[in-house]
Structures are given as C-alpha cells and as structure tokens.
Amino acid sequence: MNLRYSSMGTSVKAKPDDYSLQAFHNMLADAKFHAQNLRAVAGVLVPRHYGLWCARTKHWGGTVLCSVTEWAGIPWDRVAAMGYDLTSVKKLFGRTVEQLHDFGVHHNHLHHSGQLHHVLFRRDQTTAGPITRCFVVDFSEARTVPCTRNLPILRVDADIRRDIGGCREALDVQYLLEMYEKDVEISPSTHTYKALRFHKRYSALHPSLRNKDVMTVQRHHFFKDELPLDLNIKFDFQPDGKVVSWKGHKEDSDKLAKRLPDDYIASLLV
C-alpha cells in the first residue's frame, strides 16, 4: 500500500502558493481523475486508488490528508541503480504509456527537469525476479484526449528530436529513455522514415480508422519482433488493405490476409 500525505497547519493561514495547499489540490484532482477515468485500468496501468483519508492531528501536523493506493513499486532512479536490464524496463514503460494513451489518457507530467517522473516499477513478488509491472501515478494534471502519435515508444534508428509531428508526450518519453539514434537524419533509407511514411499514407487511405488501429498495423509490420499492445486483439486485412480486428474470438477469415502484401506497403512509401 502506498501513502501520500499533505499536512496543513491550523495555526498558519495557507497562501495560494504554499506547497502544502498545492499538494492538497493535487491529491484531490488525482483522486477525482482516478474515480472518473481510470477504473477500467486500475491495477493494470495505474495502481488501485482506495480513496482519501483526512484527520486532525492537533499540534503534530495540523490537518493531514492522505491518499491511499495500491503499492506500485520503486521509482526509475532506483531501478537504474539496482542493476536491472534497462532495455527491457524501458520497453515496459514505453508500452505502458502507449496503452494509457490508447485508453485516451495523457498524463502531462511524466518528466521534470529532464528526469522521468511519476512512474513506478514492480517485480514479480512471488519470485523476486525481474521487473514485470509498470504503473503511472499522480494524475493531478492529466486529461482525456485521443493520442496522435505516429511512432511507437520503441528504439528507432534516427533522431526524433526534430519536428516529426505526432504526440508530444510520447516523443518526450522516447527522448528521455534515449530510444533513438542521436544526430542520424530521418532519411528514406532509415526504418524510422518508412514507419512514419506508412503511418501518414495508411491513415490518409483509411480515414475511418482510429489512430490506435493505424498504430497497431504499423507495429505489426515495422516492429514485428515486439509484443503487440493488446495481446487479445487479432486482426486480418481486406484486399484493399483495411484492417479488420476483433477481440477474443475467431471469425471466418478465408478471404482475409494476416499481413499486408509487400508491394502494397512499398506503394505507400514512395
């Protein structure tokens, strides 16, 4: 179980810029966002939030407000110092952010002063083995909005610090995780260029598809060695290239293809 608390002394009038008052408002906003928007992913992408607890402590700390959540793990800096395989941990974090974005939630405060912020990692408690869980915390500044990313948060072979459009938060995370090749121009010979070009052209050809569906197709073809974001979703393709997806059951797919033809993909990259 995790506890966050804010203490506000009763003998001192709180000013609007007081740290304790800001923490108080942040904890209220976080609890409200959990209740209204995060129930479906509680315990999966975010820790379960059990509510707020308020108590008067008299002379010890005035009125204390506690936020009570599921224990979510340790922060990034401790993970880096403990010798874990950071490549797999970075992928886990990127995957979690992408899943949260596909759920329609942007955190808006995942980094501070160039450091990763508000992310916790947890290992399998039964085996004390590698880190297998990642939770994003503190949604006091979060908002619900569709994600516009055009690359997955994975290692790419070019420099993404230039303006490539897409989702600013996803790119910031990818940049902070150093999952790109510094000073390598995004040219037609790079895998990054091809993935971006495919996203743009495929989106234009199939405007009825959600961006998360286009990203699923991009990941399937250009990052095929990586885990899909949703292991339960299966999909095929119609002859015109449009993706047909379903979840949890098998459909008649005799006339559908498991992958887009190579010549179809090549036609989108010119």
Side-chain angles (χ1 to χ4, degrees):
M1 179 178 295
N2 279 353
L3 289 175
R4 278 198 310 151
Y5 77 92
S6 172
S7 173
M8 191 172 299
T10 56
S11 60
V12 179
K13 183 178 180 181
K15 298 179 181 179
D17 59 347
D18 281 349
Y19 174 80
S20 58
L21 183 59
Q22 185 61 55
F24 172 79
H25 286 300
N26 287 348
M27 290 166 69
L28 289 179
D30 177 51
K32 183 178 180 180
F33 196 88
H34 270 271
Q36 294 181 342
N37 302 289
L38 298 174
R39 290 181 181 273
V41 293
V44 181
L45 304 179
V46 304
R48 294 180 179 87
H49 195 292
Y50 300 119
L52 299 174
W53 177 76
C54 185
R56 293 181 178 178
T57 63
K58 295 185 178 180
H59 302 296
W60 176 74
T63 300
V64 175
L65 179 69
C66 293
S67 176
V68 186
T69 71
E70 169 187 11
W71 185 77
I74 59 177
W76 168 257
D77 55 350
R78 284 187 58 191
V79 170
M82 291 173 68
Y84 283 102
D85 176 11
L86 293 186
T87 298
S88 62
V89 175
K90 287 179 180 181
K91 284 186 179 182
L92 176 61
F93 178 40
R95 178 183 173 85
T96 301
V97 173
E98 286 197 77
Q99 290 172 322
L100 195 62
H101 278 206
D102 282 349
F103 186 63
V105 172
H106 282 222
H107 186 275
N108 287 323
H109 199 191
L110 285 174
H111 62 92
H112 179 70
S113 299
Q115 300 295 321
L116 290 177
H117 206 43
H118 294 139
V119 55
L120 298 172
F121 300 91
R122 197 169 80 189
R123 64 186 182 185
D124 189 328
Q125 294 176 320
T126 60
T127 64
I131 288 175
T132 58
R133 305 291 300 278
C134 173
F135 294 101
V136 178
V137 298
D138 188 357
F139 289 84
S140 58
E141 298 181 24
R143 59 194 175 105
T144 55
V145 61
C147 183
T148 59
R149 71 187 185 282
N150 51 16
L151 281 176
I153 305 177
L154 291 167
R155 183 79 188 184
V156 294
D157 64 350
D159 198 328
I160 59 169
R161 293 178 296 172
R162 297 171 176 82
D163 184 15
I164 62 171
C167 171
R168 188 69 261 166
E169 179 166 85
L171 285 171
D172 284 345
V173 170
Q174 197 164 4
Y175 168 69
L176 288 171
L177 292 176
E178 298 181 338
M179 301 177 77
Y180 66 98
E181 291 296 329
K182 186 177 180 180
D183 297 327
V184 175
E185 184 180 353
I186 301 176
S187 66
S189 63
T190 62
H191 194 71
T192 304
Y193 174 91
K194 295 172 184 177
L196 288 169
R197 181 70 172 170
F198 175 85
H199 180 279
K200 182 178 180 179
R201 294 290 304 280
Y202 193 79
S203 298
L205 284 173
H206 304 288
S208 63
L209 292 180
R210 300 169 299 179
N211 188 61
K212 62 182 292 185
D213 297 324
V214 176
M215 292 300 300
T216 296
V217 178
Q218 183 202 62
R219 192 183 191 97
H220 182 63
H221 289 85
F222 289 85
F223 303 89
K224 58 185 179 181
D225 293 332
E226 304 295 341
L227 283 174
L229 294 182
D230 190 333
L231 297 175
N232 295 316
I233 288 183
K234 310 297 181 184
F235 54 90
D236 289 326
F237 299 94
Q238 296 175 347
D240 66 353
K242 185 173 182 179
V243 64
V244 178
S245 64
W246 62 89
K247 190 168 185 175
H249 65 279
K250 180 68 177 174
E251 291 185 357
D252 181 12
S253 58
D254 291 342
K255 297 181 179 180
L256 303 177
K258 296 298 181 185
R259 290 180 58 83
L260 292 171
D262 291 341
D263 57 350
Y264 177 90
I265 294 178
S267 71
L268 300 184
L269 303 183
V270 295

